[in-house]
Amino acid sequence: MDARTLLFALVLALSGCRNPPESYAPPAQRQPFESFKPYAALRIVDMAAPGANSHFIQDISSKLENGAWRWTDKRPTVRVNPNSNLGLTYLIDFATPEITFKKTGPVTIAFYVNDHLLDRVRYDTAGRHQFQKPVPPDWVSAGQNTTLAAEIDKLYIAKEEGGKRYGFVLVRIGLLQ
Amino acid sequence: MAGALAMAAALPSLAGAAVTCAACYGLGALLLARFDAPLRPLERFPLAFLLGAAGLHLAIFSAMALHVAYRPVLILLLLGLIGGGIVADRSRTAGGWAEYRSLESLAPEPLALEPLVQITCGVIFGCYTIFYFINAWAPESSPDGSAYHLELVGRYVRAHGFEPVTTNMYAGLSEGVEILFAPAFAIGRHSAATLVHFFFTVILGLLIYAYGCRIGKPRVGAAAAILTYVSPIVGITGSSAYVDVAAAAVVFSVFYWLEIWDGSRDSRLLVPLGLMAGYGYAVKYTVGVMLLYALVFVAWRARRLKPVLAVAACASVMILPWMIKDWVYLHNPIAPFGNALFRNPNLFPLPEQEWTQWLRSYDLANKWTLPLQVTIYGDKTQGVIGVAFLALPLALLALRFRAGRRLLVPGLVMLAVYFANIATRFLIPCLPFFSLSLALALESAGPLLALLVVMQAFLSWPMVVSQSSARYGWHLAHFPIKAALRLVPEDRFLRETSPGFELARMVEQYVPRGERVFLLNGIPEAYTSREVLVGFQSSLGLTLQDMLATTWSEDSQPTRMLLFRFPGRSLRRVRLLQTARLPAPQQWSVHEVRFLNGGMELPRRPEWRLRAFPDPWNVQLAFDNSGATRWRSWEAASPGMYIDVDFGREQQIDEVRLETSPDASGVQVELQAMERGRWVPLAGRPDQRKITPQGSLGRAAAFEFNARGIHYLLLQDGDYSADLVQDDPGEWGVSVVARRPGGILYEVRP
């Protein structure tokens, strides 16, 4: 490779380089829009959502599995804050996995809103399930914390894991509107 | 009559694929005629196809780069290559036949399979081929195929060439197979592209069998071809608009050319070898490792530098176009990776780091479960290669044979790069080597090998997989013959099988041409011509996503202030230096930096010059007076990160305020001033205060969306914040445009 070719190659290579910009002037200044409203309270708690833990009350594993779900204990319970008590539907996406189902057999899960029993459903097969049911308006107060729970009747106790308790697999739980 | 008309709609996809594949073969035949490779007819066909694919990819790349990739141009190119191939084949079988025959005699004589083996293998191969073909012919609904492989192809076809796609990280990947999809897509749309990949799958099977024949062991070849071909992950991937099976075929062809070259030492063969090795990189970055293997192999066998340089030079012809394209468009020749090395405004390093980390784990806590995961379960790694591969340790017995050693080494090389992405389909390039080694090891135990093959064929049959422990993994599950023939309309089929298809059509219907729509998670973008901007796929997308998160996540809101107070001084240049080293994903975030004197904030003046490191391009976000925006390092916080302000003239200052969020609580910031060309500390440790964000963050975020030309927002059920926006769209500065099951399309009006 002669010197001219080398120089040409070098110039070509350097011409492709991009230096970071030197500096910027301040941008146009924004003005605040009306008053600030905190939005921390969600109606549906997705197990994968950042900050989901802040809605947990009990019986939900702190460990997120597969980037999507968490193991529960007997009565997983979360807190949500609906801005209305009208037209609400209890929603839960969950699974009764084969690994626990083989040991427990069919299970019954009771669904609660503010400790009111909404329904009790028996699940005869392993797999993914969804439960939805309208919530009576007088069980919930708009703008107030509302507890949602789902209680499984049988737990799988893993002796090989020192008696660790497994309820079911929870994906999301909340109130549809 | 209606049925016949509907079926006619299925023909363009066949035509598109057929013409593209025939052109690959045509060009391959033309190129092979120049090398006089000692090939048998059985191996000539797949090797010619793959070599032609490599060449055609360059031709289409050139047309795309020149923006002349119009449909007639592409069709003429394909027809010309088909014509050339026919001429080349004729001259080979006429004038050049005697020479061809003499070269052919260099290879061992093919051995015949026993009739029973022939019939068994033929039936298995035939049944699977029909199943794969029908699935590939049906409307394309695979996750990545309809989300980005074909979305980018469609985009290039519509633009008649490449476009600088800076908002989709997948556009940075080399697209050596996708670019072959382009002419097929231009003729027969999505399914045509998928059928091209299906053809690569058939080619891979033929090539494995041909190699078995080359080493004088057709039974080994047939068994290995079936072990690979029927593998559930090969089936679903090869019947989708993916590139992994094509990558495997290219990898195996590199090995094949190495063996042919090693047998003849004809230096002309280094050209197809180098081209194919380079094409591997063009098809898939991870496959680029096969070039290193080829270089080492050639160096080892030739003991001279010249052949190695020849291979490298030919490979660079295939590799450089993709590197240059990325450099020009994305300022990073290996995008979407290496963003910490090639800093650029399009892709942040930290998300890349988190993404690649996830690809290495797929949330699989115990890597020792990987063998069972990729052979039996596949629920985490998205599919299985088949139960037969549990017998893979037996392949080590093939080390007794020279051929076995030759096969296992490249297989292990490909296995090494598999750990960069442990999805099962990343094992596909290893399968030809492992299948052949396994079959070679068990050749002397004929019944055992036969049992293994039949078992793999039975247990991999889609309906059997659907009933097995592998049913939660990605696999073929249906035989959509009516959809393939378009007796079931394409729209109906896709609505039933492709989650998000309805949303893509909604975007197409309601978002005006030229407008962009922002999403937090992807949809089958190949089914809309509108520009879809998905949050995690670019720096811009992540910045917008962060604005949305700031509106509802307390952790991201500007509720924390660091207050630096010092005796009033006249200063021209000040910087905030971050001094802590924090583990990823903890990063430095700054909502606003304010300078005060006597309790009054200095108005930000146009002559101020703002600089930042490591993301200099977004420093203005810390000086825009918006609570919804923030400058972020987008790298794990480390000492040396800074925000630097030059006031342009001396300014009297006695206080600096840095507004930040709780998620940046681990960082430590030092205030410095420039004095006589050196940075010196200006104040001690800052006081901390809690503050309340000003104004509606939702509408502030909407304002920022609008300022960046994003006027549409699609939130899907399950997206963070979807329910909040749905509850009170006005508060978020958006209004509902349309609803479909699964999501709502909003227009952004702050």
Side-chain angles (χ1 to χ4, degrees):
Chain A
M1 191 181 285
D2 62 21
R4 270 192 305 181
T5 314
L6 191 67
L7 187 66
F8 178 72
L10 195 65
V11 169
L12 197 70
L14 289 176
S15 67
C17 292
R18 181 190 164 95
N19 291 322
E22 274 294 296
S23 60
Y24 292 92
Q29 298 297 289
R30 276 51 166 166
Q31 297 307 317
F33 286 87
E34 298 157 6
S35 57
F36 169 70
K37 277 190 187 176
Y39 289 107
L42 293 170
R43 279 193 285 110
I44 297 173
V45 183
D46 192 309
M47 293 301 111
N53 301 30
S54 62
H55 297 269
F56 299 168
I57 294 177
Q58 65 176 44
D59 288 356
I60 301 175
S61 168
S62 58
K63 186 182 172 201
L64 180 67
E65 308 275 358
N66 216 11
W69 53 269
R70 296 170 194 266
W71 279 109
T72 72
D73 200 298
K74 188 167 179 63
R75 184 174 166 133
T77 308
V78 299
R79 174 179 47 237
V80 295
N81 194 330
N83 59 6
S84 165
N85 62 340
L86 301 175
L88 296 174
T89 299
Y90 180 109
L91 165 78
I92 180 168
D93 281 319
F94 67 102
T96 46
E98 275 181 27
I99 190 167
T100 57
F101 201 81
K102 269 189 244 170
K103 307 283 182 185
T104 61
V107 292
T108 300
I109 299 182
F111 304 100
Y112 295 91
V113 177
N114 281 338
D115 293 329
H116 296 285
L117 176 63
L118 182 65
D119 206 346
R120 185 174 271 129
V121 181
R122 178 183 159 94
Y123 294 94
D124 294 322
T125 56
R128 297 173 189 187
H129 310 287
Q130 187 182 71
F131 170 81
Q132 284 192 36
K133 190 168 182 180
V135 177
D138 53 338
W139 288 8
V140 176
S141 301
Q144 298 294 313
N145 281 339
T146 302
T147 60
L148 305 175
E151 186 173 313
I152 190 166
D153 62 341
K154 283 178 269 181
L155 289 171
Y156 164 50
I157 315 287
K159 287 177 187 160
E160 64 278 14
E161 293 179 57
K164 195 169 175 189
R165 293 148 60 97
Y166 291 99
F168 56 90
V169 160
L170 183 57
V171 179
R172 61 177 183 155
I173 179 170
L175 294 170
L176 285 174
Q177 193 168 38
Chain B
M1 184 63 185
L5 279 176
M7 284 170 67
L11 294 179
S13 53
L14 279 184
V19 175
T20 305
C21 293
C24 287
Y25 176 75
L27 179 56
L30 277 169
L31 292 172
L32 281 187
R34 303 187 69 85
F35 305 129
D36 288 339
L39 302 177
R40 285 205 210 91
L42 192 62
E43 58 196 13
R44 187 174 188 282
F45 176 67
L47 287 175
F49 173 83
L50 292 169
L51 186 59
L56 180 59
H57 125 271
L58 270 193
I60 301 172
F61 185 101
S62 307
M64 291 282 182
L66 295 169
H67 272 256
V68 295
Y70 292 89
R71 198 163 173 249
V73 174
L74 293 173
I75 292 172
L76 277 176
L77 173 68
L78 300 183
L79 293 178
L81 293 174
I82 293 169
I86 292 170
V87 171
D89 262 355
R90 278 198 181 153
S91 63
R92 179 172 61 88
T93 51
W97 183 247
E99 189 187 1
Y100 169 74
R101 294 290 297 176
S102 68
L103 287 168
E104 187 189 359
S105 66
L106 292 172
E109 282 301 311
L111 303 170
L113 286 170
E114 297 89 333
L116 181 63
V117 178
Q118 260 185 29
I119 293 169
T120 309
C121 293
V123 167
I124 293 172
F125 190 79
C127 289
Y128 272 89
T129 300
I130 293 168
F131 208 100
Y132 293 170
F133 171 69
I134 293 300
N135 271 280
W137 197 9
E140 169 63 32
S141 60
S142 66
D144 289 1
S146 59
Y148 73 88
H149 287 297
L150 293 186
E151 187 265 336
L152 292 167
V153 168
R155 197 164 168 160
Y156 300 151
V157 168
R158 284 191 295 276
H160 314 299
F162 290 126
E163 283 190 318
V165 183
T166 57
T167 53
N168 184 342
M169 63 182 183
Y170 299 115
L173 294 168
S174 54
E175 297 165 311
V177 171
E178 288 93 330
I179 208 158
L180 296 177
F181 291 166
F185 185 96
I187 299 168
R189 310 283 297 162
H190 305 69
S191 306
T194 311
L195 283 166
V196 172
H197 194 221
F198 157 75
F199 201 69
F200 272 98
T201 311
V202 176
I203 288 291
L204 176 63
L206 293 178
L207 200 60
I208 297 172
Y209 175 57
Y211 185 75
C213 295
R214 168 165 274 269
I215 59 173
K217 296 179 185 301
R219 266 188 298 177
V220 167
I226 288 177
L227 285 174
T228 298
Y229 192 68
V230 305
S231 163
I233 194 66
V234 171
I236 181 73
T237 311
S239 309
S240 306
Y242 278 50
V243 301
D244 304 82
V245 184
V250 172
V251 164
F252 195 64
S253 79
V254 174
F255 167 78
Y256 213 121
W257 281 110
L258 278 169
E259 292 294 303
I260 295 169
W261 168 79
D262 196 34
S264 71
R265 296 300 174 94
D266 181 344
S267 59
R268 286 175 301 176
L269 298 180
L270 295 172
V271 177
L273 167 61
L275 291 176
M276 291 313 296
Y279 185 48
Y281 176 92
V283 169
K284 206 170 179 71
Y285 282 170
T286 49
V287 169
V289 76
M290 203 56 193
L291 170 60
L292 295 180
Y293 173 77
L295 294 174
V296 171
F297 185 90
V298 171
W300 170 52
R301 299 297 288 168
R303 309 265 174 193
R304 285 187 303 126
L305 187 59
K306 201 173 168 187
V308 179
L309 292 176
V311 173
C314 294
S316 66
V317 171
M318 295 285 165
I319 295 172
L320 285 178
W322 294 103
M323 284 193 158
I324 292 168
K325 171 179 171 275
D326 277 357
W327 202 338
V328 170
Y329 287 152
L330 302 171
H331 317 299
N332 173 1
I334 52 170
F337 305 104
N339 295 299
L341 185 63
F342 300 99
R343 293 182 192 281
N344 64 82
N346 308 304
L347 296 165
F348 293 132
L350 184 60
E352 175 207 329
Q353 189 186 339
E354 290 178 312
W355 178 46
T356 51
Q357 203 171 340
W358 186 79
L359 295 177
R360 289 194 294 272
S361 76
Y362 279 80
D363 293 329
L364 198 65
N366 182 358
K367 290 283 186 343
W368 291 105
T369 61
L370 205 48
L372 292 180
Q373 182 61 221
V374 299
T375 52
I376 295 179
Y377 300 111
D379 54 332
K380 288 185 187 257
T381 55
Q382 304 168 355
V384 293
I385 54 176
V387 177
F389 287 101
L390 278 174
L392 207 50
L394 294 176
L396 292 174
L397 294 173
L399 288 171
R400 291 174 296 160
F401 311 112
R402 180 173 177 272
R405 292 190 292 275
R406 286 277 176 101
L407 285 161
L408 278 169
V409 173
L412 291 173
V413 168
M414 294 312 300
L415 184 64
V417 291
Y418 160 71
F419 292 98
N421 184 337
I422 61 167
T424 306
R425 67 190 161 90
F426 279 73
L427 276 175
I428 295 174
C430 306
L431 295 187
F433 301 106
F434 290 162
S435 299
L436 279 161
S437 306
L438 188 57
L440 199 59
L442 297 180
E443 190 198 11
S444 53
L448 186 59
L449 179 59
L451 182 68
L452 193 71
V453 169
V454 171
M455 185 186 77
Q456 169 84 339
F458 174 72
L459 294 177
S460 300
W461 187 247
M463 305 330 177
V464 178
V465 174
S466 295
Q467 299 298 315
S468 74
S469 54
R471 64 184 176 278
Y472 298 121
W474 191 42
H475 67 281
L476 289 175
H478 305 288
F479 187 66
I481 180 77
K482 287 186 176 174
L485 295 171
R486 300 325 191 245
L487 294 172
V488 171
E490 190 165 325
D491 267 25
R492 197 176 106 199
F493 177 77
L494 288 168
R495 282 197 169 88
E496 290 167 357
T497 57
S498 174
F501 174 75
E502 285 262 30
L503 300 179
R505 299 313 295 167
M506 174 171 69
V507 167
E508 186 71 12
Q509 187 179 350
Y510 290 100
V511 175
R513 197 173 292 278
E515 289 281 359
R516 296 195 286 184
V517 56
F518 178 78
L519 290 85
L520 289 170
N521 289 295
I523 55 172
E525 295 160 41
Y527 289 103
T528 173
S529 60
R530 306 298 182 257
E531 188 179 347
V532 169
L533 216 159
V534 181
F536 65 87
Q537 290 180 358
S538 66
S539 298
L540 174 60
L542 282 161
T543 304
L544 295 169
Q545 184 172 300
D546 191 55
M547 289 174 197
L548 274 186
T550 299
T551 60
W552 63 268
S553 166
E554 286 178 0
D555 270 358
S556 308
Q557 290 171 352
T559 55
R560 195 168 153 252
M561 183 197 284
L562 302 184
L563 210 70
F564 296 90
R565 284 197 173 125
F566 48 92
R569 289 178 62 178
S570 189
L571 297 165
R572 181 184 166 112
R573 198 167 167 193
V574 174
R575 79 170 179 180
L576 293 149
L577 182 71
Q578 202 289 125
T579 57
R581 184 175 299 282
L582 301 175
Q586 293 188 63
Q587 54 174 314
W588 188 23
S589 304
V590 178
H591 281 267
E592 288 295 316
V593 180
R594 301 182 191 280
F595 299 95
L596 294 90
N597 184 35
M600 296 290 289
E601 184 178 355
L602 302 186
R604 291 158 174 170
R605 305 182 64 87
E607 63 265 28
W608 287 17
R609 307 317 301 173
L610 313 174
R611 298 175 180 84
F613 176 82
D615 174 17
W617 296 278
N618 291 301
V619 64
Q620 290 175 309
L621 298 179
F623 295 86
D624 60 1
N625 202 38
S626 170
T629 66
R630 53 179 174 167
W631 175 87
R632 309 194 80 186
S633 59
W634 292 106
E635 289 181 30
S638 63
M641 295 176 169
Y642 65 82
I643 290 178
D644 170 354
V645 183
D646 184 340
F647 300 114
R649 59 187 167 91
E650 298 283 317
Q651 290 275 1
Q652 188 71 16
I653 303 170
D654 61 9
E655 187 176 325
V656 176
R657 293 178 181 176
L658 189 153
E659 293 171 13
T660 183
S661 45
D663 61 4
S665 59
V667 303
Q668 289 174 5
V669 184
E670 191 177 308
L671 183 66
Q672 298 182 329
M674 176 72 84
E675 279 187 1
R676 290 188 289 279
R678 292 183 57 199
W679 290 108
V680 294
L682 183 58
R685 294 175 71 84
D687 293 333
Q688 294 200 32
R689 279 193 194 164
K690 275 198 149 190
I691 54 174
T692 304
Q694 290 189 328
S696 159
L697 293 182
R699 292 186 64 192
F703 180 89
E704 298 302 326
F705 273 57
N706 256 10
R708 287 159 180 77
I710 316 280
H711 302 120
Y712 291 88
L713 171 69
L714 172 56
L715 290 176
Q716 301 177 63
D717 294 351
D719 281 346
Y720 310 145
S721 76
D723 51 347
L724 296 174
V725 179
Q726 188 185 343
D727 278 356
D728 193 356
E731 180 54 35
W732 295 73
V734 297
S735 55
V736 175
V737 174
R739 295 170 193 265
R740 292 286 182 276
I744 301 175
L745 179 69
Y746 299 95
E747 187 175 358
V748 183
R749 289 188 201 149

